[in-house]
């Protein structure tokens, strides 16, 4: 998912970039940029969206560093966000030889830091912008995720990712510059809060998450530094300052952060995750991998239907396409596809990649009184068909099948090391709402969201506020947290969230939101400018919590265009990217330089030994003008440039 | 020409203006690159070109521009402004929900502007050339020069954060007609009214000073009328003519200013909706809000013309 650019849209002060530019050579910015005298051997055009000030400043820093080397004539072109996206997603863009800069948001899956950028199947979409087409790398990426061997041996998987990071360091198709820190600021009434690495879940996670013994409570009389679980107080209202209006309350039909943030107070999944990405059974009481079969997607050939393609080369069908035959060429006028009905046939015949079985917890009640059963899971999967999230849902999922009232099987298409996390990643719907048309699960359409979650939707006033109240019949409260078999927390840990009401105030303007925090009209907010963060961090009246999240920024080289096809040139530019300076001067230290391509949150599955990996890769990514010069001289000599 | 004929003529002249406004609105929105489908699709890797084409077809965005204009205009004339693409809600419903908020803010700004401008203008004219006059000139210049968003933020910082006299966020759980709203609206009202107040103050002072030099003033004074009566009864009325026109035309600046002020004060009005609409490339919403704004300003000007004619009988006989 591309990072929301709106966050830093409005009023970031130009301040520190001046200092930053000073550090990296003020003259080049003032004198040369956009007005190159053309005497350097290499031309480079960096491209960026103009509405993200941090990103623009970062590109300016990179450009000035390149200019300073004396080897580059740099130009910066900026575009309005929509134009920019249309431009860089155009498959023909890869032939133009530009260097785009964009931000992405990764997950616990290490693939999200390499596959999206480099796999050839992502050319022309998100986010292989410059058409990197390296079949060796494609195979490496596929082999790190798919196959019985990596499913059964997580260490093998980690080794394969280590090979990918090293391969990428040599080839350097892209330069990841830094990993974002997400920060929340709160007043001292808020106790017990710690961050989750993804902003869409920070609040729902913070309110109650036994897997990390995380619970939030309100207490006006004590400072959060002086309290612990034994001081926990029930009741109260948490007022959250949100940066955007939630566009949607319909889980399969919303992709923006604020909407998801609002949904997850009320919806839950079969599994849950702790801060480090480990999975725990949640609505499922337990789950197991029943069987893994060594097949690939061609195994479904016999079940596929042939459908015509439309003028855009896409299958002309209303059914969810689960798999399109990998060898069929749309240019021939038709392709073979696997749709849900045939997927069921395949499973009947024992053709599937993986089978997971989930024992659903008995007695879990939806907000409308329905009791959770296997039927709910199957109906939820059906509602995700052909939704806005269908592509990522059926990336791995083949079929869902009710075994008995409280047992459900989910099947994966092929042996897939991410299936365990990906397959159950659906917000379970009530039967009452499982048949609603897309986008109709919305209070503004007369359907208040119904889930199993700890908070019940109360009211929304568009552009003003959203309110939730505590679910009095929450299943964890009914059950008792001690009854969850993996829970090993202290006895003081409560049986559910303790805060009674949640009020989400919608305040798009960062300064206004910051002012509202100071005048005690909200208790907690996020997405403030790094300047503001510094101020709050120094104050004793506020608490800043931050965590390294999945967000990252990168520039990508046009490897299909001369002279960029020479990896030495790409490596040299990478050596001139001032990562330390970007983090210090553009982001005021609220980020971490990307010494490797993988952030902390994906290390668990993405490397055997993060420290050793950093030792090996860091020299490729550290600012090193001398080494860059050597490489550039070699390129100049081989290409007969002056 | 009678007053009635004059008014009728002015009302009829609105029709071609409105047509022009609608044409320009439509052209500006459609000539800028990108459409709501680009926005909806964004960088979602899973949406294909044919999905996009289908969406464009569904919303008629692939038809020739003149045809789209015809369809849009036809719908607008029947009160149908189309839908918000991203959530399928009716544009007119959105506008009806936001309009009262913006009108409330606008009226407050306007009233505030006049309440400051007229007395200060009068005072400056009476004290022409003295310190008070210079001070009023300084204030007017500042009022015009200070950007709305800065003034708004400063007022929030001082009035709400430091002095805690006002809340930062509007009392959104209260209805618009709740008395507390009057109190809350003071800061946004000041912010929005300042620029208008500055211009009105200067015009008030100039025309007042001009009237004060006229012979009837000398005559009135010679009759022995108290100075207060001379100024407030005779001079003020005559010098208000130009202020009325100006005040009406300044409606435009109040409406435009409200866009920024609504964002800073988190006021859920049309201006904030417009910003969202522009970010989301919500063509229908942008066009409807722009058209509404245009109509609003035209009507304000019409009222000014009529008032002008009423106040100054010479106008309608030209």
């Amino acid at each position: 998912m591309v990072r929301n650019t709106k966050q830093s849209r409005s009023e970031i002060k130009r301040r520190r970039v001046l200092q930053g530019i000073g550090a990296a050579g003020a003259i080049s910015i003032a004198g040369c940029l956009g007005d190159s005298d053309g005497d350097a051997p290499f031309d480079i055009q960096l491209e960026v969206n103009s509405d993200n000030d941090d990103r623009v400043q970062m590109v300016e820093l990179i450009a000035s560093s390149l200019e300073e080397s004396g080897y580059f004539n740099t130009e910066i072109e900026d575009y309005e966000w929509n134009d920019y996206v249309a431009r860089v997603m155009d498959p023909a863009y890869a032939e133009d030889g530009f260097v785009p800069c964009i931000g992405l948001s990764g997950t616990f899956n290490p693939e999200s830091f390499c596959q999206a950028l480099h796999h050839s199947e992502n050319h022309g979409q998100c986010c292989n912008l410059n058409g990197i087409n390296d079949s060796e790398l494609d195979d490496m990426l596929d082999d790190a995720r798919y196959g019985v061997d990596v499913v059964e041996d997580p260490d093998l998987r980690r080794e394969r990712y280590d090979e990918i990071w090293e391969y990428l360091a040599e080839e350097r198709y892209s330069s990841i510059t830094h990993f974002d820190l997400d920060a929340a600021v709160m007043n001292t009434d808020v106790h017990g809060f710690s961050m989750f690495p993804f902003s869409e879940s920070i609040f729902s996670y913070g309110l109650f998450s036994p897997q990390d013994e995380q619970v939030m409570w309100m207490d006006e009389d004590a400072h959060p530094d002086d309290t612990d679980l034994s001081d926990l107080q029930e009741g109260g209202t948490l007022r959250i300052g949100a940066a955007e209006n939630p566009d949607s309350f319909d889980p399969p039909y919303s992709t923006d952060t604020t909407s998801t943030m609002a949904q997850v107070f009320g919806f839950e999944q079969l599994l849950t995750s702790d801060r480090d990405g480990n999975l725990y059974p949640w609505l499922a009481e337990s789950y197991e991998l029943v069987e893994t079969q060594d097949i690939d997607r061609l195994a479904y050939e016999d079940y596929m239907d042939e459908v015509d393609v439309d003028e855009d080369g896409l299958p002309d069908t209303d059914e969810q396409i689960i798999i399109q035959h990998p060898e069929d060429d749309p240019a021939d006028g038709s392709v073979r596809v696997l749709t849900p009905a045939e997927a069921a046939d395949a499973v009947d015949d024992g053709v599937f990649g993986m089978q997971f079985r989930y024992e659903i917890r008995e007695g879990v009640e939806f907000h409308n009184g329905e009791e959770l059963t296997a039927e709910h899971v199957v109906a939820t999967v059906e509602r995700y068909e052909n939704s806005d999230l269908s592509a990522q849902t059926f990336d791995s999922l083949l079929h869902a099948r009710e075994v008995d009232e409280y047992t459900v099987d989910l099947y994966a298409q092929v042996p897939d090391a991410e299936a365990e996390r990906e397959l159950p990643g659906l917000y379970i719907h009530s039967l009452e709402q499982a048949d609603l048309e897309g986008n109709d699960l919305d209070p503004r359409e007369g359907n208040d969201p119904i889930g199993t979650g700890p908070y019940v939707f109360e009211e929304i006033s568009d552009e003003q506020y959203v309110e939730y109240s505590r679910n009095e019949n929450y299943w964890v409260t009914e059950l008792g947290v001690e009854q969850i078999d993996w829970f090993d927390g202290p006895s003081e840990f409560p049986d559910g969230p303790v805060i009674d009401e949640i009020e989400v105030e919608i305040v798009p303007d960062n300064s206004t939101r910051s002012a509202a925090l100071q005048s005690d009209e909200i208790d907690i907010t996020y997405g403030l400018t790094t300047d503001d963060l510094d101020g709050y961090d120094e104050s004793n009246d506020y608490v800043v919590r931050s965590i390294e999240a999945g967000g990252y920024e990168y520039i990508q080289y046009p490897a299909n265009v001369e002279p960029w096809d020479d990896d030495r040139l790409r490596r040299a530019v990478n050596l001139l990217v001032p990562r330390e300076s970007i983090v210090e001067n553009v982001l005021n230290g609220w980020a971490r330089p990307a010494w490797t391509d993988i952030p902390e949150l994906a290390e668990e599955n993405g490397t055997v030994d993060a420290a050793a990996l950093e030792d090996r890769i860091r020299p490729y990514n550290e600012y090193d003008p001398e080494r860059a010069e050597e490489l550039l001289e070699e390129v100049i000599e081989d290409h007969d440039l002056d | 020409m009678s007053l009635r004929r004059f008014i009728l003529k002015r009302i009829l002249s609105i029709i071609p203006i409105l047509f022009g406004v609608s044409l320009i609105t439509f052209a500006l929105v459609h000539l800028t690159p990108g459409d709501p489908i680009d926005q909806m699709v964004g960088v979602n890797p899973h949406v294909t070109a044919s999905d996009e084409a289908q969406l464009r077809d569904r919303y008629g965005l692939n038809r020739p521009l003149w045809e789209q204009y015809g369809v849009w205009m036809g719908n607008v004339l029947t009160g149908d402004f189309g839908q918000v693409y991203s959530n399928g809600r009716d544009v007119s419903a959105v506008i009806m929900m936001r309009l009262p908020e913006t009108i409330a803010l606008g009226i407050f700004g306007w009233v505030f502007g006049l309440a400051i401008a007229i007395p200060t203008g009068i005072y400056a004219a009476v004290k022409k050339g003295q310190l008070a006059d210079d001070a009023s000139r300084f204030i007017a210049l500042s009022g015009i020069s200070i950007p709305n968003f800065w003034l708004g933020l400063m007022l929030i910082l001082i009035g709400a954060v430091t002095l805690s006299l006002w809340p930062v966020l509007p009392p959104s759980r209260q209805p618009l007609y709740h008395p507390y709203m009057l109190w809350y609206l003071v800061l946004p009202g000041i912010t929005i009214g300042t620029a208008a107040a500055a211009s009105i103050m200067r015009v008030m002072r100039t025309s007042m000073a001009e009237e004060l030099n006229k012979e009837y003033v000398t005559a009135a004074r010679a009759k022995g009328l108290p100075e207060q009566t001379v100024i407030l009864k005779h001079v003020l009325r005559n010098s208000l003519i130009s202020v009325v026109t100006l005040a009406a035309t300044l409606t435009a600046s109040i409406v435009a200013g409200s866009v920024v002020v609504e964002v800073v004060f988190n006021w859920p009005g049309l201006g904030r909706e417009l910003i969202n609409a522009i970010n989301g490339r919500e063509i229908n919403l942008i066009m409807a809000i722009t058209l509404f704004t245009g109509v609003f300003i035209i009507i304000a000007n019409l009222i000014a013309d009529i008032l002008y004619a009423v106040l100054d009988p010479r106008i309608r006989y030209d």
Side-chain angles (χ1 to χ4, degrees):
Chain A
M1 192 112 335
V2 167
R3 293 284 287 174
N4 184 352
T5 59
K6 290 179 187 169
Q7 282 187 2
S8 52
R9 181 178 66 211
S10 33
E11 67 310 305
I12 292 188
K13 297 136 214 157
R14 301 290 296 181
R15 39 52 174 168
R16 315 228 170 190
V17 78
L18 294 173
Q19 297 169 11
I21 291 161
I27 298 153
S28 53
I29 284 284
C32 300
L33 281 191
D35 185 30
S36 300
D37 42 8
D39 56 356
F42 301 103
D43 293 318
I44 177 169
Q45 177 161 327
L46 293 150
E47 307 208 320
V48 64
N49 56 307
S50 53
D51 41 23
N52 185 326
D53 285 0
D54 285 349
R55 194 172 294 159
V56 171
Q57 290 170 14
M58 173 178 119
V59 168
E60 284 170 352
L61 267 186
I62 295 173
S64 71
S65 167
L66 291 173
E67 284 271 343
E68 203 186 39
S69 74
Y71 286 91
F72 292 91
N73 307 310
T74 63
E75 298 249 9
I76 298 174
E77 284 293 328
D78 56 26
Y79 302 88
E80 191 273 326
W81 173 243
N82 294 292
D83 301 339
Y84 186 59
V85 171
R87 178 178 169 82
V88 296
M89 296 286 159
D90 185 341
Y93 182 76
E95 307 308 318
D96 295 339
F98 302 133
V99 178
C101 176
I102 205 164
L104 288 181
S105 175
T107 63
F108 293 121
N109 179 1
E111 190 184 75
S112 54
F113 300 91
C114 49
Q115 201 262 6
L117 284 63
H118 298 118
H119 200 292
S120 59
E121 72 182 24
N122 293 325
H123 178 217
Q125 38 179 288
C126 190
C127 278
N128 181 351
L129 310 177
N130 263 325
I132 310 303
N133 189 354
D134 179 336
S135 54
E136 190 183 343
L137 179 57
D138 284 357
D139 290 342
M140 290 170 81
L141 290 165
D142 291 339
D143 291 344
R145 173 167 172 186
Y146 300 108
V148 176
D149 49 356
V150 285
V151 168
E152 289 178 349
D153 184 357
D155 270 330
L156 176 67
R157 185 173 187 221
R158 296 182 187 112
E159 283 165 26
R160 290 199 173 155
Y161 274 113
D162 275 334
E163 286 166 23
I164 290 174
W165 310 128
E166 289 186 28
Y167 184 86
L168 285 173
E170 288 289 345
E171 290 296 333
R172 216 59 290 170
Y173 295 115
S174 317
S175 295
I176 295 183
T177 56
H178 62 270
F179 300 109
D180 295 330
L181 282 178
D182 273 7
V185 187
M186 64 215 81
N187 61 29
T188 53
D189 297 352
V190 180
H191 293 246
F193 179 72
S194 66
M195 292 274 285
F196 194 68
F198 309 123
S199 44
E200 60 266 27
S201 320
I202 52 173
F203 299 116
S204 53
Y205 166 86
L207 283 159
F208 181 69
S209 292
Q211 66 272 27
D212 277 325
E213 291 157 36
Q214 161 65 47
V215 64
M216 214 166 164
W217 72 94
M218 305 300 290
D219 181 356
E220 290 174 16
D221 302 323
H223 194 280
D225 289 350
D226 308 327
T227 58
D228 58 33
L229 264 183
S230 58
D231 302 309
L232 179 134
Q233 297 198 8
E234 301 246 347
T237 301
L238 177 70
R239 300 162 303 167
I240 297 170
E244 276 169 74
N245 197 45
D247 282 339
S248 168
F249 284 83
D250 200 339
Y253 289 89
S254 53
T255 47
D256 66 300
T257 310
T258 317
S259 297
T260 316
M261 189 187 279
Q263 286 159 16
V264 294
F265 292 125
F267 284 102
E268 294 179 313
Q269 304 186 346
L270 290 175
L271 308 186
T272 190
S273 162
D274 67 13
R275 203 184 290 118
D276 301 321
N278 302 308
L279 294 169
Y280 298 81
W282 192 245
L283 292 180
E285 193 168 13
S286 64
Y287 71 102
E288 59 171 339
L289 173 58
V290 180
E291 195 181 351
T292 308
Q293 304 192 93
D294 188 10
I295 62 165
D296 61 15
R297 291 189 168 88
L298 286 174
Y300 299 94
E301 193 174 76
D302 295 343
Y303 299 92
M304 291 183 177
D305 279 342
E306 187 151 337
V307 296
D308 291 339
V309 295
D310 59 20
E311 65 266 29
D312 296 309
L314 293 151
D316 196 6
T317 172
D318 292 334
E319 298 286 313
Q320 170 68 43
I321 294 167
I322 295 173
I323 303 173
Q324 182 171 334
H325 197 294
E327 288 166 2
D328 283 0
D329 184 358
D332 301 336
S334 69
V335 290
R336 284 166 290 174
V337 297
L338 187 76
T339 57
E342 288 105 35
D345 293 343
V347 171
D348 285 342
D349 296 346
V351 180
F352 55 82
M354 299 171 89
Q355 177 188 9
F356 284 90
R357 175 157 293 179
Y358 303 83
E359 299 297 336
I360 288 168
R361 219 175 269 285
E362 292 184 27
V364 174
E365 211 176 87
F366 282 87
H367 302 158
N368 65 349
E370 285 177 30
E371 196 206 343
L372 174 69
T373 61
E375 197 185 349
H376 289 89
V377 180
V378 175
T380 299
V381 170
E382 279 168 16
R383 192 151 190 279
Y384 273 74
E385 285 172 10
N386 280 324
S387 70
D388 289 357
L389 296 184
S390 57
Q392 52 246 58
T393 306
F394 294 97
D395 177 38
S396 186
L397 183 62
L398 174 69
H399 181 63
R401 174 158 298 184
E402 182 178 343
V403 179
D404 60 41
E405 199 178 358
Y406 296 106
T407 311
V408 67
D409 283 353
L410 297 181
Y411 294 88
Q413 296 160 14
V414 292
D416 175 355
E418 277 297 312
E420 185 181 358
R421 182 187 314 281
E422 252 196 34
L423 295 188
L426 307 172
Y427 291 105
I428 306 297
H429 286 52
S430 65
L431 292 179
E432 183 184 332
Q433 297 187 326
D435 293 331
L436 287 175
E437 292 283 312
N439 285 319
D440 278 359
L441 203 173
D442 195 308
R444 295 160 291 198
E445 301 292 336
N447 297 305
D448 289 0
I450 297 168
T452 55
Y455 286 89
V456 182
F457 174 86
E458 289 291 336
E459 195 185 356
I460 177 169
S461 175
D462 254 330
E463 299 286 341
Q464 300 190 68
Y465 60 87
V466 190
E467 291 180 344
Y468 291 83
S469 66
R470 192 152 62 121
N471 178 3
E472 296 300 333
N473 302 314
Y474 188 42
W475 64 268
V476 184
T477 315
E478 305 280 313
L479 180 74
V481 71
E482 300 283 347
Q483 300 302 311
I484 299 178
D485 51 16
W486 46 258
F487 179 75
D488 56 0
S491 56
E492 299 96 28
F493 194 79
D495 291 328
V498 298
I499 292 173
D500 282 340
E501 311 278 337
I502 299 182
E503 296 177 4
V504 182
E505 302 287 337
I506 297 145
V507 190
D509 190 81
N510 287 341
S511 312
T512 309
R513 211 161 62 251
S514 182
L517 180 67
Q518 288 171 42
S519 68
D520 196 26
E521 290 168 60
I522 54 176
D523 297 306
I524 186 166
T525 189
Y526 60 95
L528 298 180
T529 66
T530 50
D531 263 3
D532 281 343
L533 288 180
D534 285 342
Y536 285 117
D537 207 19
E538 285 156 18
S539 161
N540 198 38
D541 297 329
Y542 298 93
V543 178
V544 180
R545 294 259 184 263
S546 65
I547 193 167
E548 188 172 311
Y552 62 101
E553 303 268 326
Y554 70 98
I555 59 174
Q556 190 171 55
Y557 308 109
N560 297 330
V561 180
E562 275 195 76
W564 294 97
D565 52 350
D566 192 323
D567 59 286
R568 289 170 300 182
L569 173 59
R570 303 193 297 262
R571 287 210 317 265
V573 172
N574 182 57
L575 288 168
L576 294 170
V577 169
R579 288 179 169 79
E580 200 118 45
S581 170
I582 289 168
V583 167
E584 281 315 307
N585 298 304
V586 179
L587 301 156
N588 284 5
W590 292 93
R592 190 174 63 90
W595 301 127
T596 69
D597 287 0
I598 176 176
E600 257 173 60
L601 85 165
E603 278 169 3
E604 172 68 24
N605 295 312
T607 175
V608 175
D609 180 344
L613 179 71
E614 184 171 328
D615 284 345
R616 292 199 300 276
I617 306 283
R618 187 167 169 149
Y620 289 90
N621 292 334
E622 253 176 331
Y623 181 69
D624 187 349
E626 280 152 34
R627 176 72 187 126
E629 190 177 330
E630 284 171 32
L631 288 167
L632 291 167
E633 286 297 339
E634 283 177 35
V635 178
I636 289 170
E637 199 170 310
D638 289 1
H639 290 252
D640 286 331
L641 302 162
D642 5 284
Chain B
M1 212 189 305
S2 71
L3 182 60
R4 192 184 303 150
R5 275 202 64 184
F6 173 80
I7 292 174
L8 197 67
K9 197 176 145 202
R10 284 294 288 113
I11 289 177
L12 284 177
S13 74
I14 284 182
I15 294 169
I17 297 176
L18 277 181
F19 177 73
V21 168
S22 76
L23 203 63
I24 292 172
T25 305
F26 186 86
L28 281 180
V29 169
H30 281 83
L31 291 179
T32 42
D35 67 18
I37 308 302
D38 287 335
Q39 176 69 28
M40 280 160 85
V41 172
V43 281
N44 188 340
H46 307 297
V47 177
T48 62
S50 96
D51 295 341
E52 285 188 43
Q54 233 172 33
L55 283 169
R56 288 207 167 80
D57 188 46
R58 188 195 309 169
Y59 293 116
L61 292 166
N62 51 357
R63 292 195 231 163
L65 269 188
W66 60 268
E67 205 180 312
Q68 288 187 47
Y69 176 73
V71 171
W72 177 67
M73 219 32 228
N75 289 338
V76 165
L77 288 175
T78 58
D80 175 10
F81 289 89
Q83 290 185 332
V84 180
Y85 297 109
S86 66
N87 54 28
R89 264 163 258 158
D90 271 344
V91 166
S92 37
V94 173
I95 291 196
M96 280 312 143
M97 189 161 69
R98 303 288 171 225
L99 193 61
E101 308 273 350
T102 294
I103 289 180
L105 186 62
I107 289 178
F108 213 83
W110 207 68
V111 167
F112 175 82
L114 288 182
I116 295 278
I118 291 178
T120 325
I122 295 171
Y123 192 67
V126 174
K127 306 277 178 192
K128 195 175 159 195
Q130 298 174 31
L131 184 64
D133 189 22
D134 291 338
S136 87
R137 188 177 298 140
F138 176 77
I139 293 168
L141 198 61
S142 314
I144 292 174
S145 317
I146 291 174
N148 266 344
F149 70 90
W150 185 85
L151 182 62
L153 278 178
M154 285 305 119
L155 288 176
I156 288 180
L157 206 63
I158 296 164
V161 176
T162 311
L163 300 177
S164 300
L165 292 173
W166 286 274
V168 172
L169 304 178
S172 51
R173 285 156 185 82
Q174 308 284 5
L176 200 51
Y177 50 79
H178 194 276
Y180 187 68
M181 279 291 176
L182 279 181
W183 177 238
Y184 173 77
L185 275 169
V186 169
L187 294 188
I190 291 177
T191 314
I192 214 168
T194 307
S199 324
I200 296 172
M201 188 195 296
R202 294 311 292 163
V203 170
M204 184 76 228
R205 178 204 166 271
T206 312
S207 69
M208 188 92 182
E210 206 174 289
E211 290 295 321
L212 279 172
N213 283 335
K214 292 205 169 145
E215 286 175 357
Y216 74 86
V217 178
T218 321
R221 283 183 180 143
K223 279 200 298 189
L225 283 179
E227 187 67 10
Q228 209 174 340
T229 317
V230 175
I231 288 174
L232 294 184
K233 198 160 170 210
H234 298 282
V235 180
L236 178 61
R237 190 172 162 177
N238 285 330
S239 46
L240 269 181
I241 296 174
S242 46
V243 170
V244 166
T245 342
L246 182 69
T249 43
L250 281 175
T251 316
S253 82
I254 285 178
V255 171
S258 73
V259 175
V260 176
V261 172
E262 283 179 12
V263 171
V264 172
F265 286 91
N266 215 43
W267 188 254
L270 274 186
R272 223 173 107 190
E273 203 63 52
L274 180 63
I275 300 262
N276 288 344
I278 291 170
N279 284 330
R281 290 293 164 89
E282 287 290 353
I283 292 184
N284 285 343
L285 199 49
I286 300 175
M287 290 195 299
I289 295 177
T290 319
L291 197 63
F292 256 83
T293 313
V295 169
F296 193 60
I297 291 170
I298 289 170
I299 292 174
N301 276 301
L302 174 71
I303 293 172
D305 280 354
I306 294 171
L307 276 179
Y308 204 20
V310 172
L311 286 173
D312 185 351
R314 287 168 299 180
I315 301 293
R316 53 183 190 269
Y317 293 118
D318 58 358

